[in-house]
Amino acid sequence: LHSFPTRRSSDLLSSSAASASAERPLTTADRCDVCAAQAYVRVVLLTGELFFCAHHAREHGERLKEVALLFQDETATLTPGA
């Protein structure tokens, strides 16, 4: 009978959350989960990730920053007035 090391669910959650929290460039394929506009903010939570356009990121950003593992903000790439 073989004995294999077991991983607790908290270990799995921690490792998946850690890998998901790595920044990656947002693309035009990433869409806001509220209105489907291009996403410029990615929020990684323990339960998954959310994407937001600049408008909805401003609207919900402060609360999201409190609970996020990662708050990736690429709104600086927007051109003012465009």
Side-chain angles (χ1 to χ4, degrees), residues 30-40 50-60:
D30 295 314
R31 309 311 288 182
C32 177
D33 288 319
V34 178
C35 68
Q38 184 174 347
Y40 287 92
L50 297 170
F51 294 88
F52 294 95
C53 64
H55 165 79
H56 286 111
R58 280 191 300 274
E59 185 176 339
H60 304 289

Side-chain angles (χ1 to χ4, degrees), residues 24-78:
R24 63 162 181 80
L26 295 175
T27 70
T28 57
D30 295 314
R31 309 311 288 182
C32 177
D33 288 319
V34 178
C35 68
Q38 184 174 347
Y40 287 92
V41 173
R42 176 175 160 248
V43 180
V44 177
L45 306 166
L46 281 175
T47 55
E49 60 185 10
L50 297 170
F51 294 88
F52 294 95
C53 64
H55 165 79
H56 286 111
R58 280 191 300 274
E59 185 176 339
H60 304 289
E62 292 308 311
R63 176 65 182 120
L64 289 167
K65 287 176 184 177
E66 294 173 10
V67 297
L69 298 174
L70 171 74
F71 190 89
Q72 180 178 344
D73 185 349
E74 296 186 5
T75 56
T77 62
L78 291 168

Side-chain angles (χ1 to χ4, degrees), residues 6-20:
T6 58
R7 296 181 95 183
R8 296 184 312 260
S9 60
S10 61
D11 292 340
L12 293 173
L13 183 58
S14 298
S15 64
S16 65
S19 63

